[in-house]
Amino acid sequence: MENLIALLVGAPLLGAAVLLCGGRRLDRIGHWIGTLLAAVSFVIGLTLFADMLGKAADDRALHQTLYTWIPVEGFQADIAFQLDQLSMTFVLLISGVGTLIHVYSIGYMEHDERRRRFFGYLNLFVAAMLLLVLADNYLLLYFGWEGVGLASYLLIGFWQHKPTAATAAKKAFLVNRVGDMGLSIAIMIMFTTFGTFAFGPVLGATGETSEGKLTAIGLMLLLAACGKSAQVPLQSWLGDAMEGPTPVSALIHAATMVTAGVYLIVRSADIFNAAPDAQLVVTVVGAVTLLFGAIVGCAKDDIKKALAGSTMSQIGYMILAAGLGPIGYVFAIMHLVTHGFFKAGLFLGAGSVMHGMNDEVDMRKYGGLRKYMPVTFVTFGLGYLAIIGFPGLSGFFSKDKIIEAAFAKGGAEGWILGSVTLLGAAITAYYMTRVMLMTFFGEKRWQADAEGHEPHPHESPRSMVIPMVLLAVGSVAGGAFFEFAGFVEWLEPVTGFAHGHSPLSAAAVTTATVAVMVIGVGLAYLQYGRRPVPVVAPRGSLLTRAARRDLLQDDFNHAVFVTGGTHLTRSLVYVDHSLVDGVVNGTAAAVGGLSGRLRKLQNGYARSYAVSMFGGTAVLIAATLLMRAV
């Protein structure tokens, strides 16, 4: 069975190569080729999963080495794969949800003349993400990590004729390069410390390594995770990434790119367990981002950007859980999987709404769409109930577990983190209810555009509806399935697990979570359900205006890095011109002046040389007589 592992990556990679190099002759069937090869990867994953279930828990890991990638004395890296319970979870999520997004894209991109290229990029994205989670060493993981960054750049900027899309792609690429520096530095420290990049030797030797080195590695890995998973302070690219086609948003925000940072931290669990300072920073970053994204999501009128803020916040929950150590690793992955279902469904639902509204994204110009798009309304509504933690749906099980784990951290830290997660749950219920009410309830608010064309909302084609329905099923049943199918026992051999000591019972935490959810829903209903929604957004409070500007993250980056970098560069140029060039040019001028004066002594006249010789002789004689006299 281990010989099949490479095919998981090979199938979509082959699709990318064929679609991107095959030329326009494949335009008519390119989308079917891309979808088929993504589905092949999913079927192979199911086959390996079934085989894995038939083995003992401690004997499920598979390895496959294709060849030695870099054979140098003292430095060797292999193209080798590792398939265990953790990577299998990601394989099924990436290939399964990825295939549904491919199917959805058949209808969504039907009229795009570059559809073949789009599916080639989708295949490349899936292949790079599968390589990332299947690699058995950090160097090969880094190769997949950069592949994901490249594919995201190509997909976010796919409609590059729009300046906003081209700018968003460049922004995502550059911000992620900052995080990628963290991963590259971490790998360098690993090699100098352990002499290898492989997971087994590196993670197995953490008990013999100084805490300082492990803390440095952990912090650099966290920096990498902040870039890919859009966590503070490298979160600014995520909202702008909505400029890409909606299937891209679903793929990036649900099943692939933003989950890579969570995978990296959980895969490196032994490093963080042995570096408590780095682990603490992980929880702080997760807690801050959890609230940051939720607040931003409350103020966005663009339906996709509201969901982008939600993604940032939900990934914050996962990062926080991963920072809790053995009491949180499993629940971070559990929420990651359930989030893959309901967030992909929400983004595809948003795309369906846009499809019926002439690509309009402003929710203030929607209203009452449940009457015109009933299937989209139901599937989007189930995703909404799942993300707010409605009892019985997937988010209820996975997010509640993270809240319980936060309290189980114990002491003042546990109370603080638990309170933050509860506050985040309340805000999540508020902004998602706001999205639901502004989009599907109330009176219609859409108007004719400048050319007199008025939207005619309608249900999407079957190729878009079927993936939405399947994801809605996952949103409803996914959490209960994981809860009762032994997901903790499934991952425990890889991630470890500990119960912790919570000051609150599970029933008390559940009651509190449901209570804050009801409060959030109620506040949103009072503001958007009982009052008319103005077509033009009111000015709002200072916090609202800041949230509309992403809590001034771009302003901060511009002031500190752009303006600050400009002033720093000008200062360095001034120092270079005034000091460095001054010394160099001054030395040259002094030598030139001295040589010019000496050159006057070499005038070519014999009488001048005779006088010089006579003068020199006289000076020598006088000096000799003076020395004798003394």
Side-chain angles (χ1 to χ4, degrees), residues 371-459:
K371 304 173 185 176
Y372 305 90
M373 310 178 70
V375 178
T376 299
F377 167 65
V378 172
T379 56
F380 192 96
L382 291 173
Y384 152 74
L385 292 175
I387 193 174
I388 69 172
F390 190 84
L393 275 70
S394 60
F396 170 77
F397 290 100
S398 59
K399 192 159 61 176
D400 267 26
K401 292 295 184 182
I402 293 178
I403 297 173
E404 290 178 22
F407 279 108
K409 184 67 174 177
E413 184 181 345
W415 281 104
I416 293 172
L417 294 176
S419 299
V420 167
T421 55
L422 284 176
L423 178 59
I427 302 175
T428 300
Y430 171 83
Y431 69 71
M432 285 306 305
T433 303
R434 174 180 179 267
V435 170
M436 197 72 188
L437 293 174
M438 292 178 69
T439 302
F440 294 102
F441 292 87
E443 299 299 325
K444 72 172 189 177
R445 299 183 297 275
W446 59 84
Q447 302 171 353
D449 58 21
E451 299 177 358
H453 302 299
E454 181 175 323
H456 297 284
H458 56 278
E459 196 56 82

Side-chain angles (χ1 to χ4, degrees), residues 207-517:
E208 306 166 4
T209 309
S210 69
E211 185 177 318
K213 285 188 176 181
L214 293 175
T215 299
I217 294 173
L219 292 176
M220 291 299 101
L221 292 176
L222 174 60
L223 179 62
C226 287
K228 278 290 182 287
S229 295
Q231 300 293 285
V232 172
L234 299 179
Q235 79 288 0
S236 62
W237 65 271
L238 196 67
D240 296 287
M242 297 302 98
E243 291 293 337
T246 299
V248 175
S249 303
L251 193 62
I252 289 177
H253 287 247
T256 54
M257 185 167 175
V258 294
T259 65
V262 182
Y263 171 80
L264 181 64
I265 294 174
V266 175
R267 174 61 74 187
S268 308
D270 290 336
I271 293 174
F272 287 95
N273 291 339
D277 291 339
Q279 203 169 55
L280 176 61
V281 177
V282 173
T283 59
V284 172
V285 168
V288 171
T289 310
L290 185 164
L291 295 178
F292 189 103
I295 293 171
V296 168
C298 291
K300 294 296 185 180
D301 293 328
D302 183 319
I303 187 171
K304 290 174 65 177
K305 290 192 175 183
L307 294 177
S310 169
T311 296
M312 192 187 305
S313 179
Q314 297 303 308
I315 299 295
Y317 270 104
M318 302 171 206
I319 294 292
L320 185 151
L324 297 174
I327 63 175
Y329 291 135
V330 172
F331 302 130
I333 301 302
M334 182 177 178
H335 191 54
L336 185 151
V337 176
T338 60
H339 177 265
F341 288 125
F342 59 68
K343 184 52 64 65
L346 289 169
F347 268 112
L348 296 189
S352 180
V353 170
M354 293 167 58
H355 182 270
M357 292 293 292
N358 295 345
D359 290 328
E360 178 61 65
V361 296
D362 189 346
M363 294 185 292
R364 294 185 180 276
K365 298 178 181 179
Y366 291 164
L369 291 180
R370 71 185 188 280
K371 304 173 185 176
Y372 305 90
M373 310 178 70
V375 178
T376 299
F377 167 65
V378 172
T379 56
F380 192 96
L382 291 173
Y384 152 74
L385 292 175
I387 193 174
I388 69 172
F390 190 84
L393 275 70
S394 60
F396 170 77
F397 290 100
S398 59
K399 192 159 61 176
D400 267 26
K401 292 295 184 182
I402 293 178
I403 297 173
E404 290 178 22
F407 279 108
K409 184 67 174 177
E413 184 181 345
W415 281 104
I416 293 172
L417 294 176
S419 299
V420 167
T421 55
L422 284 176
L423 178 59
I427 302 175
T428 300
Y430 171 83
Y431 69 71
M432 285 306 305
T433 303
R434 174 180 179 267
V435 170
M436 197 72 188
L437 293 174
M438 292 178 69
T439 302
F440 294 102
F441 292 87
E443 299 299 325
K444 72 172 189 177
R445 299 183 297 275
W446 59 84
Q447 302 171 353
D449 58 21
E451 299 177 358
H453 302 299
E454 181 175 323
H456 297 284
H458 56 278
E459 196 56 82
S460 297
R462 186 175 301 175
S463 63
M464 296 172 64
V465 167
I466 292 176
M468 290 159 54
V469 171
L470 293 176
L471 289 169
V473 172
S475 300
V476 172
F481 175 79
F482 290 134
E483 175 72 10
F484 300 110
F487 191 72
V488 172
E489 291 75 14
W490 164 259
L491 279 183
E492 185 177 359
V494 180
T495 63
F497 179 69
H499 285 285
H501 304 285
S502 176
L504 300 176
S505 66
V509 173
T510 299
T511 301
T513 304
V514 173
V516 299
M517 178 202 71

